Amino acid sequence: MADNAVSEGASMDGHPLKLASIPATDSTVWTDASPLLQAACTGLRDGELIHGDNFNLFAAMSALEIMDPKMDSGIVRTYYSIDEAIEHGAAPIPISLDSTIDVQCTIDIMDHLLACEAAWHKGHSLAQTVFSCIYLLRLDRTAPHALLHSYCRIIRATCKAVVSVASNARTHEEEDLFTMTYGLPLNGDGDDKCLSILNAVEDTISRQLRACKAASLKRRLPEDLEPLQSNPNLEEGFCKALLCRLCFRKHFFHILACMKRPQGRGLESARKHISSCMTELESIQKSAYFIRSCFGESCEGDIDDKTTASGREPIGFDAMLNSRLSALMPPRTIKILSWKKAVEYFVKLLHDLDVICSYSLDPHLESLLRFVVQFQKSQPDLVARSHLQLLLVQDGKLYGRDPLFSVITKAAALLEATKNHDIQKNESILQLGMLVMNLLKILCTNAAWQRRKLGKFLQDWHVIYVQLELALRNEFGEVSSRSSNDENVCMKIFQHILLWVEEQTYWITFRFLILGFELELYSTSEYCMVYWYLYAVLIKLAEKTQLKMAVSYDTAKRKGKKKKDSPKDLARESRIPPAVTFLQCCIFLAEGLTMMLAALRNEISLFQSPGPFNTEQEKFAQHFELLQRACIPDHFSYPSYKESTTHARFSTLAMYNYFKDAQRIAKEVKSSFSNDPERLAELQKLEHVAEHNSAAQDLICRLGALDPSLKVSFELSHHPFFATVVAKRS
């Protein structure tokens, strides 16, 4: 109670504020506590706190600091309520009696709402961003202003659509504030007609623009048209500036609607609207020069931090009005994105959505996983990732059309006929389908959440492998020659799926480890253990991948019923698959980096684990505890790591250069990926790393401990997770 009384009794600068009209009740009496607090302030020293006898540390953590804007949600900046703000003219309708100023201010409101929307997408609360607009909070008041009313309606409908997408995808748990509406007027009557209202306004402005062009050609003007504003010289420019903003909102709303259609049926239409949105954004950027010239300001002025194209402050916004609704905690101090950055954000968002819409909906899981990982490299924001997840997983099926068992049989290199086998009703198989679905959802989260969830998720994959293995033994045991054909088929399905589960488990582990580089979780002193673990995982992944491909080739060969293997078939069978060769290149790089780091540590005491708080063994446990719990890989532990690296020396490095082998493999395997530009680019990066590291290793082995001026560092300059060794004389 004292909190609110203080908030109304005095402002931050000490001047008195008008007491808000909150009536007292039978159980409450409002008292100005300002003198009491002022006296307390003079009697307290820094760090002291007034508290009762029952006040404890837990209560201190939850305490609010009165009159601190970051802590006191009851503090009044300008207005106590929306109605009070409206009464004092904070959001007038019409905005101005001067029609030219009215149009200018309307454009400022549109631009600021765009900046607020981008800030909301970035994780700030809806209450303190988009719904800091008083016109949105009282949308019925804007009805006499057709232009503003149509724009605010489609903004509200767009926010509702985005909240729905993020809530359904459940990616909003990364940022809880994103989907919290706190009782804001997000659902309004007639919002389903927002497009028709917008189209009517757009049509009117389009006719006015045509009239302006006709006037310039001295043609006869339609008599029923009224100009937007009073200055004929500015009419055409204002029409263009308004049209591109209205058209952008219309096409963006269409994108959201098209991408929600089941089974990806609206993706082609969404791409057309994305293209239109990009065109309108270009026009919006170009209109900034005209808008600023209307105020007699130079276009070269600094508006980098402004939220409008004109550089002026918009009318009708107050972020503090909703501060009490922002969360069950003190409101955050937020900074709305500048207009320029907001436009850049939407350009990137549209690009990310276009990448999603252009995907071919490949039913092969391996291709899909590569696409998602590649998509995540562009660091898409939550809205784009939510749309991707909803596209991938619909109604418990891939793309809403492919049953998960069918997806698993394809991934496990089983024959097409097995996708309808009754084994799909097995409890373990059903659980495996759920794991695949959850994996796709996890891969659509941001990097930090993704790594955290993948680490815990690995135990589920280990458990399902054990369950499948037990089910295979219990149901089939030793299959005799007299077993039925159906039993043999069931056993083959189990065996293929078991092999695939192993391969997938190591792929997830690999993803978990490399995300640590992206998130900068590893220090250079920890690179040795990380690359050692990465080497062990890559070896297992290559083994399982090659075994799966061999089984796949054997299955395809039996299906063809060839009586005799030709020399060409035998050569093909003995050749290492390109995917495995690619992994071998990575294995040599990981092993080379491990041995080089170990030798530098053993010979000249570089990259030792510093700090008095954590031993190397404790750091090993911190990084790999989740992998160790899931026994990935088996029999790999800190003692085995020490045993592998303790004896590394420069002399052993000189005897065998792993980087040269990696460089050779990268060159040789390129031809196998001539139709895969992403893999070719990856190989190019690996080749650069191998080449640089090979030269650096030769220099280190030649000079080594003999030259104390030799400085060695590791940089992620050519590849995101394979470091480049830089060796220089100081």
Side-chain angles (χ1 to χ4, degrees):
M1 192 66 72
D3 182 312
N4 287 320
V6 172
S7 297
E8 297 179 32
S11 66
M12 290 296 290
D13 56 6
H15 296 295
L17 285 172
K18 182 178 75 68
L19 288 174
S21 55
I22 304 177
T25 65
D26 294 339
S27 59
T28 60
V29 176
W30 288 99
T31 304
D32 186 359
S34 299
L36 174 64
L37 293 175
Q38 186 62 42
C41 287
T42 57
L44 289 174
R45 291 176 295 181
D46 287 344
E48 288 187 331
L49 177 73
I50 296 176
H51 61 84
D53 294 336
N54 61 344
F55 196 74
N56 52 33
L57 179 61
F58 178 79
M61 297 299 292
S62 306
L64 298 181
E65 185 177 343
I66 297 175
M67 301 305 293
D68 184 340
K70 295 181 180 180
M71 296 289 287
D72 187 355
S73 61
I75 191 170
V76 176
R77 290 297 185 84
T78 310
Y79 309 108
Y80 182 82
S81 66
I82 299 168
D83 292 332
E84 186 183 345
I86 292 171
E87 286 175 12
H88 285 77
I93 294 291
I95 301 172
S96 174
L97 296 177
D98 185 326
S99 57
T100 302
I101 295 176
D102 188 273
V103 171
Q104 290 172 337
C105 291
T106 302
I107 292 174
D108 287 341
I109 292 169
M110 292 177 172
D111 289 345
H112 189 74
L113 277 171
L114 186 77
C116 287
E117 189 177 5
W120 172 49
H121 286 191
K122 287 286 190 178
H124 293 299
S125 74
L126 189 61
Q128 290 184 279
T129 53
V130 179
F131 277 85
S132 65
C133 179
I134 301 171
Y135 294 109
L136 270 175
L137 294 169
R138 292 287 188 271
L139 192 55
D140 54 316
R141 292 183 59 253
T142 63
H145 198 300
L147 179 58
L148 183 60
H149 185 70
S150 64
Y151 195 86
C152 286
R153 267 196 179 279
I154 199 158
I155 281 282
R156 185 168 71 178
T158 300
C159 289
K160 182 179 177 181
V162 171
V163 166
S164 174
V165 167
S167 297
N168 292 336
R170 299 188 68 81
T171 49
H172 67 279
E173 63 185 10
E174 302 169 14
E175 179 52 76
D176 292 335
L177 293 179
F178 189 84
T179 56
M180 290 184 179
T181 56
Y182 310 105
L184 295 169
L186 201 60
N187 299 308
D189 295 334
D191 276 357
D192 53 333
K193 299 178 181 177
C194 65
L195 280 176
S196 59
I197 296 172
L198 188 75
N199 286 334
V201 174
E202 180 192 346
D203 182 60
T204 301
I205 298 175
S206 296
R207 289 171 61 201
Q208 184 61 32
L209 179 60
R210 288 194 295 270
C212 292
K213 293 179 178 178
S216 65
L217 297 174
K218 298 182 179 180
R219 294 177 182 171
R220 185 177 179 180
L221 300 177
E223 296 179 359
D224 62 332
L225 278 181
E226 293 184 8
L228 290 174
Q229 44 82 54
S230 55
N231 189 336
N233 296 326
L234 302 177
E235 186 74 2
E236 184 176 347
F238 277 129
C239 285
K240 288 180 178 179
L242 287 169
L243 273 176
C244 59
R245 283 162 172 80
L246 293 174
C247 289
F248 170 78
R249 298 281 14 151
K250 178 181 72 174
H251 289 297
F252 188 69
F253 187 75
H254 276 302
I255 291 169
L256 299 177
C258 290
M259 293 191 73
K260 284 186 72 174
R261 293 178 191 170
Q263 300 181 14
R265 291 176 186 146
L267 297 184
E268 196 60 41
S269 298
R271 290 199 75 187
K272 294 176 182 177
H273 289 293
I274 288 170
S275 177
S276 298
C277 268
M278 296 293 276
T279 302
E280 300 302 341
L281 276 177
E282 289 178 8
S283 300
I284 289 172
Q285 288 176 302
K286 291 176 182 176
S287 72
Y289 297 98
F290 164 77
I291 292 169
R292 295 208 77 206
S293 67
C294 294
F295 299 101
E297 298 175 25
S298 170
C299 292
E300 297 177 0
D302 183 18
I303 61 168
D304 287 346
D305 294 328
K306 304 296 183 180
T307 61
T308 61
S310 66
R312 300 195 316 168
E313 290 295 319
I315 293 172
F317 290 84
D318 190 337
M320 291 305 296
L321 279 176
N322 292 322
S323 62
R324 299 184 182 194
L325 300 176
S326 60
L328 301 175
M329 64 186 77
R332 292 195 235 178
T333 301
I334 66 171
K335 182 176 174 59
I336 301 297
L337 269 66
S338 69
W339 179 75
K340 283 186 175 181
K341 288 185 178 179
V343 172
E344 290 171 2
Y345 165 78
F346 275 98
V347 168
K348 184 179 186 305
L349 174 61
L350 290 168
H351 172 74
D352 291 337
L353 293 177
D354 189 56
V355 171
I356 295 171
C357 294
S358 61
Y359 183 57
S360 61
L361 307 188
D362 194 333
H364 292 88
L365 188 62
E366 183 181 355
S367 301
L368 172 58
L369 294 178
R370 283 185 56 201
F371 167 76
V372 176
V373 169
Q374 187 66 29
F375 177 72
Q376 286 279 31
K377 289 180 180 178
S378 66
Q379 297 183 335
D381 285 297
L382 186 144
V383 175
R385 289 186 280 105
S386 297
H387 278 286
L388 176 60
Q389 185 190 310
L390 288 184
L391 172 65
L392 300 184
V393 181
Q394 300 174 25
D395 301 323
K397 296 180 179 180
L398 184 64
Y399 314 124
R401 70 182 189 203
D402 298 326
L404 291 174
F405 182 71
S406 173
V407 174
I408 291 170
T409 54
K410 278 190 177 72
L414 284 160
L415 297 176
E416 184 73 15
T418 59
K419 69 179 183 180
N420 297 318
H421 198 279
D422 285 344
I423 201 173
Q424 63 186 296
K425 299 175 184 177
N426 180 280
E427 184 64 28
S428 297
I429 298 295
L430 291 173
Q431 290 179 16
L432 179 59
M434 293 297 295
L435 286 184
V436 172
M437 186 168 64
N438 289 335
L439 174 61
L440 294 174
K441 291 180 179 180
I442 289 171
L443 292 176
C444 292
T445 59
N446 65 37
W449 272 77
Q450 189 180 147
R451 188 177 189 274
R452 177 185 174 188
K453 292 196 169 190
L454 286 178
K456 297 179 178 179
F457 195 49
L458 280 167
Q459 293 182 56
D460 296 333
W461 282 82
H462 178 69
V463 169
I464 202 68
Y465 177 82
V466 173
Q467 289 178 351
L468 287 168
E469 197 171 35
L470 286 173
L472 176 62
R473 291 176 183 172
N474 293 337
E475 293 192 26
F476 305 106
E478 294 295 330
V479 179
S480 66
S481 58
R482 296 181 180 180
S483 298
S484 66
N485 186 55
D486 187 58
E487 286 183 337
N488 284 325
V489 170
C490 287
M491 189 178 71
K492 289 293 182 186
I493 292 174
F494 263 112
Q495 289 173 338
H496 276 250
I497 290 177
L498 272 171
L499 183 57
W500 174 77
V501 168
E502 278 193 290
E503 180 199 21
Q504 199 60 45
T505 302
Y506 285 113
W507 183 89
I508 295 170
T509 309
F510 173 68
R511 179 75 182 152
F512 171 84
L513 289 171
I514 64 174
L515 279 171
F517 287 98
E518 182 180 332
L519 295 167
E520 299 180 0
L521 300 180
Y522 311 130
S523 66
T524 310
S525 62
E526 297 164 345
Y527 276 6
C528 186
M529 67 174 70
V530 174
Y531 284 121
W532 177 83
Y533 217 105
L534 191 62
Y535 161 75
V537 170
L538 283 169
I539 285 214
K540 290 290 185 179
L541 180 58
E543 286 177 3
K544 303 306 175 185
T545 302
Q546 184 165 10
L547 188 54
K548 187 193 76 171
M549 290 183 168
V551 171
S552 172
Y553 175 76
D554 184 56
T555 302
K557 188 171 69 171
R558 284 203 308 272
K559 182 182 177 183
K561 297 180 181 179
K562 294 183 179 180
K563 295 181 179 179
K564 188 176 181 180
D565 292 329
S566 65
K568 186 183 292 186
D569 291 330
L570 292 172
R572 188 185 297 115
E573 188 174 357
S574 61
R575 190 179 65 185
I576 299 175
V580 177
T581 308
F582 176 86
L583 289 173
Q584 286 180 335
C585 179
C586 296
I587 289 168
F588 278 120
L589 278 174
E591 188 173 12
L593 285 166
T594 301
M595 292 297 104
M596 180 181 287
L597 283 157
L600 288 168
R601 183 185 61 191
N602 296 336
E603 291 267 15
I604 53 178
S605 300
L606 283 180
F607 309 115
Q608 300 276 10
S609 295
F613 303 109
N614 295 83
T615 64
E616 187 179 51
Q617 186 168 358
E618 288 170 336
K619 290 181 179 180
F620 187 94
Q622 289 167 357
H623 285 307
F624 312 122
E625 181 183 9
L626 294 173
L627 308 185
Q628 296 278 292
R629 285 183 192 172
C631 303
I632 302 171
D634 283 328
H635 312 301
F636 277 78
S637 59
Y638 180 74
S640 56
Y641 158 67
K642 291 299 291 182
E643 184 180 348
S644 302
T645 57
T646 299
H647 303 292
R649 294 290 185 275
F650 292 143
S651 57
T652 56
L653 288 181
M655 292 171 60
Y656 191 83
N657 193 324
Y658 297 100
F659 300 118
K660 286 184 178 178
D661 277 347
Q663 185 180 359
R664 173 182 55 79
I665 291 172
K667 288 180 178 179
E668 291 176 355
V669 81
K670 278 183 182 178
S671 59
S672 302
F673 295 104
S674 56
N675 297 323
D676 189 342
E678 291 177 7
R679 193 59 69 90
L680 275 177
E682 178 79 1
L683 282 167
Q684 191 71 32
K685 293 176 183 177
L686 294 176
E687 188 179 350
H688 279 314
V689 173
E691 184 179 1
H692 280 80
N693 289 1
S694 179
Q697 179 171 306
D698 290 341
L699 178 63
I700 291 169
C701 290
R702 189 171 67 253
L703 299 177
L706 301 176
D707 190 346
S709 66
L710 183 66
K711 302 296 180 184
V712 182
S713 61
F714 290 78
E715 300 174 356
L716 298 173
S717 52
H718 292 95
H719 195 273
F721 55 89
F722 282 121
T724 301
V725 186
V726 179
K728 295 180 181 178
R729 286 176 172 173
S730 58

